[in-house]
Amino acid sequence: SYILFIFNLTFEKEFMRNDSKVAKIFLFTAVLSGSLWTGAYLMRLFIFYWLFEPEDFILKSYLTDENTGGVLYSLLPVLTTTIILYGLFIITFIVFILTTKLKFKENGWLFISTIIVLLTLPFEGYLMTIDYKLVTILWSSSYSSETVITLIIERFTIFGNFSLVELFSYFSL
C-alpha cells in the first residue's frame, strides 16, 4: 500500500500533470529508493549501535572472539542495501531534476529538497566509501574482526552526529 501511495502521489498531483512520463517515473523511483534507503540506513545505525556499550566504543560483553565474526558477517546485507539504494536514489533524483518541467522559483519544496540532497552528498559519499571497505572486507574469506570493528568505529567518529542530522533533514522532506 505504501508503494501505491507513492505512485498516486507521483502521478496524480496537480503540479506534476504537465510533466513527462519519464520525469514522473524518475520521481517515483527517487521517492521509493529514498524511502527504502532511509529505512535501511536506520536499520544499519541501530545494528551498529547495538554492537557497542552505550559509553565509549567497547563491544558488548556477549560478543566473544568466537561469535564476533558471524555477527559482523550478518551486517553484509544491510551495508550492501544502503549502498545500492543510496546510489539509485541519487541517480534518479538528479535525472528527475534534469527532466522535470518544474522550476525552482515556483516550487520551493523542490529547491530545498535539492539543496539538502546535494549538501549531504559529499559527506554521505565519504561514509559510503567506508561502507564499501567494510563490504569488501566482509566478502573476503578471511578477515580480521578487529579491522571491521575499527572501520565501524571510524565511521561513527569521523563526522560525529552527521548521520542523525542527515536523517532528520531527510525526514523533513
Side-chain angles (χ1 to χ4, degrees), residues 2-164:
Y2 184 69
I3 292 175
L4 291 175
F5 170 73
I6 294 172
F7 185 80
N8 188 27
L9 175 75
T10 305
F11 286 96
E12 298 299 324
K13 289 297 179 187
E14 192 153 331
F15 66 86
M16 292 296 294
R17 290 214 174 128
N18 296 333
D19 253 338
S20 68
K21 289 276 188 201
V22 172
K24 291 178 183 179
I25 289 170
F26 280 112
L27 176 62
F28 173 75
T29 309
V31 170
L32 182 64
S33 61
S35 299
L36 293 174
W37 170 77
T38 303
Y41 198 82
L42 277 171
M43 172 100 52
R44 182 186 59 203
L45 283 177
F46 290 145
I47 291 172
F48 279 5
Y49 279 118
W50 170 81
L51 294 173
F52 300 101
E53 294 292 338
E55 297 173 14
D56 297 323
F57 288 106
I58 301 169
L59 282 176
K60 292 203 174 179
S61 59
Y62 50 82
L63 292 173
T64 62
D65 290 336
E66 291 81 31
N67 65 4
T68 304
V71 170
L72 293 175
Y73 187 76
S74 68
L75 299 174
L76 197 55
V78 170
L79 289 168
T80 54
T81 301
T82 54
I83 291 171
I84 292 168
L85 287 174
Y86 188 73
L88 181 65
F89 167 66
I90 292 298
I91 290 168
T92 55
F93 184 78
I94 290 172
V95 172
F96 165 71
I97 295 298
L98 296 174
T99 59
T100 187
K101 295 178 184 175
L102 297 175
K103 305 291 182 222
F104 286 134
K105 260 187 173 178
E106 299 163 3
N107 298 287
W109 64 269
L110 182 62
F111 177 72
I112 290 173
S113 300
T114 304
I115 292 299
I116 289 173
V117 168
L118 294 179
L119 281 177
T120 58
L121 177 63
F123 301 106
E124 187 59 36
Y126 180 75
L127 292 175
M128 288 286 174
T129 61
I130 296 172
D131 289 346
Y132 182 74
K133 288 177 192 174
L134 284 169
V135 168
T136 55
I137 289 171
L138 290 172
W139 271 110
S140 69
S141 58
S142 62
Y143 61 89
S144 165
S145 297
E146 292 297 321
T147 306
V148 175
I149 291 169
T150 303
L151 282 173
I152 291 172
I153 292 172
E154 177 186 342
R155 191 181 196 295
F156 280 138
T157 57
I158 195 87
F159 287 130
N161 291 328
F162 171 75
S163 298
L164 296 175

